[in-house]
Amino acid sequence: MESVCVTGAGGYVASWVVKELLAKGYIVHGTVRDPDDEKKNGHLKKLEHANERLHLFKADLLDYVGVCTAIDGCTGVIHVAMPVPAGKVTSPQAEMLEPAITGTRNVMNACLKSKVNKVVVVSSIAAIFGNPSWPKDRPMDENCWSDAEFFMKTEKWYCVGKLISEREALEFGKKNNLNVVTVCPSIVFGPMLQSTLCTTNIILLNLFKGKNSFNLLEFDKAEEDIHIPIVDVRDCAKALLLVYEKPESEGRYLCSSHVLKTKALIEMLKNLFPNYNYPTDPCGLNEELNYTCEKIMKLGWSHRSLEETLVDSVENMKEAGLLS
């Protein structure tokens, strides 16, 4: 029976990856900071087949030995772990860059040591879209790389961490003959398996309370009518497994299913759930967002409707007592 290691297993996207892997018959090694922390990781132990095939390992990504222990014996690795800022970053080097870059280096070296067959690294659409020099009439795709200096000047440290760690992972793979594939998801919405709120669902929850807080994802101004690229967390998890399982997958994959402006998203939420106090209309912004996910679609990926994602997100928040 094949074993796959998932880093940051208790997180929002990673939890769904673990669920999908267990459902498909894999043995799963999950790295978490504290396997006995029921608040953060108890939901994993309740997943179907978790008793038989889920093994949680205490491993901080900055602890190379711990990472090696978790990956040992695995055929593949899906590297998801990455901190997301929930406010102003006071120490970018310590809070964002070191965990992202050093952590990814540790994972890559551990994979090489354990001779795994394939590594899937979760990057971000941020590693693609931050390129001011990209031709406006050309859709952005996997060939587009964000500009690290541009992000550093605007203090987008999460974006910098994702960008540098993805580049390094792909270069490490080529240099060491390790099969490394990266996936760059857009903003992830959808139901949570864990009990603690993730950043994107904080943003969605805030919209029902009259607050536009997309700046938590390092957008320049939350009040502007910006384009919001969205993917459902369940579709994102399936994309990661698809890329892992398909022998022909290679390089980078942009993974996003819907894009609409903030104003359009708020109007859609109003129509679906009229009894909430939404933000006032954001001010207009003419900048367009033009991209294509043709590469991952050709691999066989499909996605659900945005309405389904939003409805399921809200029902999940109500069940959790976060929304009346």
Side-chain angles (χ1 to χ4, degrees):
M1 196 176 289
E2 189 174 344
S3 298
V4 176
C5 180
V6 179
T7 66
Y12 180 38
V13 173
S15 294
W16 280 99
V17 173
V18 171
K19 181 180 172 70
E20 287 286 324
L21 285 166
L22 290 172
K24 298 190 80 171
Y26 290 93
I27 294 170
V28 181
H29 290 196
T31 73
V32 294
R33 292 193 175 182
D34 182 1
D36 296 322
D37 188 335
E38 291 301 311
K39 184 177 180 182
K40 290 186 177 180
N41 303 311
H43 63 286
L44 295 174
K45 300 170 186 178
K46 296 174 185 176
L47 293 174
E48 192 173 3
H49 307 299
N51 285 339
E52 314 99 80
R53 291 190 267 108
L54 174 64
H55 307 283
L56 297 181
F57 291 79
K58 181 179 174 63
D60 187 307
L61 290 187
L62 301 183
D63 171 22
Y64 176 64
V65 175
V67 173
C68 285
T69 301
I71 291 175
D72 185 44
C74 289
T75 307
V77 173
I78 301 179
H79 176 39
V80 191
M82 170 69 183
V84 179
K88 186 175 177 59
V89 175
T90 56
S91 178
Q93 189 71 31
E95 295 175 47
M96 300 303 303
L97 298 187
E98 185 180 0
I101 298 167
T102 306
T104 298
R105 288 172 183 166
N106 284 342
V107 170
M108 293 297 106
N109 281 301
C111 288
L112 190 64
K113 180 182 178 183
S114 295
K115 299 179 181 179
V116 304
N117 292 340
K118 195 170 194 176
V119 189
V120 177
V121 176
V122 180
S123 182
S124 167
I125 201 169
I128 291 177
F129 281 9
N131 187 338
S133 62
W134 187 263
K136 298 295 182 185
D137 59 347
R138 181 181 170 189
M140 287 184 172
D141 59 15
E142 293 80 4
N143 295 306
C144 182
W145 283 91
S146 294
D147 185 330
E149 288 188 11
F150 169 74
F151 281 150
M152 287 179 182
K153 286 177 183 177
T154 51
E155 298 187 348
K156 293 179 171 60
W157 302 110
Y158 171 78
C159 299
V160 175
K162 279 295 190 183
L163 172 62
I164 295 176
S165 57
E166 184 192 0
R167 272 194 182 278
E168 285 199 2
L170 288 169
E171 289 168 3
F172 184 96
K174 289 178 182 177
K175 182 179 177 181
N176 295 282
N177 198 29
L178 179 66
N179 189 359
V180 178
V181 183
T182 63
V183 177
C184 301
S186 57
I187 297 169
V188 184
F189 283 158
M192 301 177 296
L193 293 174
Q194 81 279 23
S195 60
T196 52
L197 269 173
C198 61
T199 301
T200 52
N201 275 314
I202 289 173
I203 292 168
L204 189 58
L205 189 61
N206 281 346
L207 289 176
F208 292 105
K209 299 177 180 179
K211 184 180 179 183
N212 186 353
S213 54
F214 275 101
N215 59 312
L216 290 177
L217 293 174
E218 298 191 337
F219 290 145
D220 291 327
K221 294 179 181 178
E223 65 270 15
E224 289 181 340
D225 193 17
I226 54 178
H227 280 93
I228 309 296
I230 297 169
V231 66
D232 189 290
V233 66
R234 296 161 292 186
D235 295 332
C236 180
K238 287 184 177 178
L240 295 172
L241 262 70
L242 181 71
V243 167
Y244 176 72
E245 291 180 332
K246 288 279 187 177
E248 66 268 31
S249 67
E250 50 79 32
R252 311 173 84 197
Y253 288 88
L254 176 55
C255 179
S256 185
S257 49
H258 307 281
V259 61
L260 70 172
K261 284 196 169 185
T262 314
K263 184 176 180 179
L265 176 60
I266 292 171
E267 285 302 315
M268 189 172 184
L269 289 170
K270 280 181 180 178
N271 289 331
L272 290 170
F273 313 101
N275 300 318
Y276 292 99
N277 179 31
Y278 293 95
T280 54
D281 288 346
C283 54
L285 191 68
N286 293 324
E287 185 177 337
E288 293 298 316
L289 183 59
N290 185 16
Y291 68 92
T292 176
C293 293
E294 183 179 357
K295 185 181 177 185
I296 199 164
M297 292 288 201
K298 284 183 176 179
L299 207 60
W301 183 68
S302 61
H303 57 78
R304 65 202 68 215
S305 69
L306 180 56
E307 180 174 327
E308 182 181 349
T309 298
L310 296 176
V311 169
D312 289 352
S313 297
V314 171
E315 290 304 318
N316 178 244
M317 289 179 183
K318 286 180 178 178
E319 287 174 12
L322 300 168
L323 198 61
S324 58

